[in-house]
Every structure is written in structure tokens, then in C-alpha cells.
């Protein structure tokens, strides 16, 4: 996992609703948010998984519709699969939508989240 001086934390909470994964997000103050992050300087965005499903969810990665747009530079996943970090040098202006990909301990199927977004606004 990477360490940079500026880090933003978003908790990814997954509950079961009628047997289906339901995603919600909390900001670093523990307040509900939409999961989107606005970046104005180079930083590492840390997503911490809170698995309330009892199904052993873990981060496997993140899928991007536009993986070559330069918004996110790289990702890293903690050894226990409970944190995913996105490294963003904030060199490219624009938005990048993605979906979290998670494994589970119940079967070999993957779980995909709704799509939060990173919005870059590099300094001029």
C-alpha cells in the first residue's frame, strides 16, 4: 500500500438488502456521502470496506470505463483485501467513473458496485 502526505478516506459499506448487496458510502467524518471524490492536489484516496453481509467480501480491484484517461494513476489493495487505494497525481483534468470489484467467501462469483467517480481539478 502506498503512503503519500495527502490521503482521503471513504468507507464503502455493503449490506444485504433482500439478499442483494447494497452499497453506501461514508466520508472521513462518518457522514453519508455519494462516494465521489474531488481531487485538487496529488493524493491517495483510500476506500475502506465495511462488510455487513456476512459473506466475506474483499476488494479484488476496480474496473474503469476509461482506464487510459490518466485520471487515476494506479491502485493498490491491502493484503487483507479490506482497503483499496487509488493513487491520483492530479495531472489530468476530468472525471473517471469506476466500479469496485469484490470477491466473496460464499462462491466464486464477483460482486460489482454502483459507480462512484473521481473528479480531478489540477491547479493551473
Amino acid at each position: 500500500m502506498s503512503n503519500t502526505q495527502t490521503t482521503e478516506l471513504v468507507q464503502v459499506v455493503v449490506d444485504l438488502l433482500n439478499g442483494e448487496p447494497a452499497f453506501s458510502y461514508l466520508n472521513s467524518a462518518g457522514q453519508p456521502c455519494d462516494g465521489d471524490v474531488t481531487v485538487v492536489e496529488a493524493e491517495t484516496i483510500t476506500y475502506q470496506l465495511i462488510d455487513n453481509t456476512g459473506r466475506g467480501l474483499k476488494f479484488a480491484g476496480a474496473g474503469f470505463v476509461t482506464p487510459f484517461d490518466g485520471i487515476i494513476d494506479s491502485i493498490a489493495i491491502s493484503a487483507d483485501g479490506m482497503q483499496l487505494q487509488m493513487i491520483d497525481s492530479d495531472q489530468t483534468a476530468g472525471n473517471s467513473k469506476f466500479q469496485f470489484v469484490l470477491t466473496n467467501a460464499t462462491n466464486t462469483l464477483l460482486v460489482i458496485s454502483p459507480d462512484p467517480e473521481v473528479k480531478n481539478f489540477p491547479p493551473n
Side-chain angles (χ1 to χ4, degrees), residues 26-37:
L26 301 172
N27 63 23
S28 58
Q31 300 299 314
C33 64
D34 59 10
D36 293 354
V37 173

Side-chain angles (χ1 to χ4, degrees), residues 35-64:
D36 293 354
V37 173
T38 299
V39 176
V40 296
E41 64 182 338
E43 70 177 86
T44 297
I45 306 162
T46 300
Y47 292 95
Q48 179 180 18
L49 181 62
I50 308 296
D51 177 16
N52 294 331
T53 68
R55 305 297 173 108
L57 298 180
K58 295 186 185 289
F59 283 122
F64 292 80

Side-chain angles (χ1 to χ4, degrees), residues 62-74 95-98:
F64 292 80
V65 175
T66 55
F68 310 115
D69 61 7
I71 304 295
I72 296 298
D73 300 302
S74 63
N95 301 351
S96 190
K97 290 185 179 257
F98 61 92

Side-chain angles (χ1 to χ4, degrees), residues 1-121:
M1 304 285 301
S2 296
N3 289 322
T4 61
Q5 289 188 304
T6 304
T7 301
E8 180 152 353
L9 175 69
V10 177
Q11 292 182 323
V12 180
V13 182
V14 187
D15 295 293
L16 282 182
L17 185 60
N18 298 321
E20 299 295 326
F23 287 78
S24 60
Y25 303 93
L26 301 172
N27 63 23
S28 58
Q31 300 299 314
C33 64
D34 59 10
D36 293 354
V37 173
T38 299
V39 176
V40 296
E41 64 182 338
E43 70 177 86
T44 297
I45 306 162
T46 300
Y47 292 95
Q48 179 180 18
L49 181 62
I50 308 296
D51 177 16
N52 294 331
T53 68
R55 305 297 173 108
L57 298 180
K58 295 186 185 289
F59 283 122
F64 292 80
V65 175
T66 55
F68 310 115
D69 61 7
I71 304 295
I72 296 298
D73 300 302
S74 63
I75 66 166
I77 300 170
S78 64
D80 65 1
M82 300 308 286
Q83 286 191 345
L84 182 145
Q85 290 185 327
M86 291 190 182
I87 293 78
D88 184 343
S89 63
D90 197 32
Q91 298 296 308
T92 304
N95 301 351
S96 190
K97 290 185 179 257
F98 61 92
Q99 292 177 284
F100 294 113
V101 180
L102 298 97
T103 60
N104 72 85
T106 304
N107 58 42
T108 59
L109 303 179
L110 299 175
V111 178
I112 298 176
S113 72
D115 56 338
E117 181 174 49
V118 172
K119 303 169 187 173
N120 273 8
F121 296 100

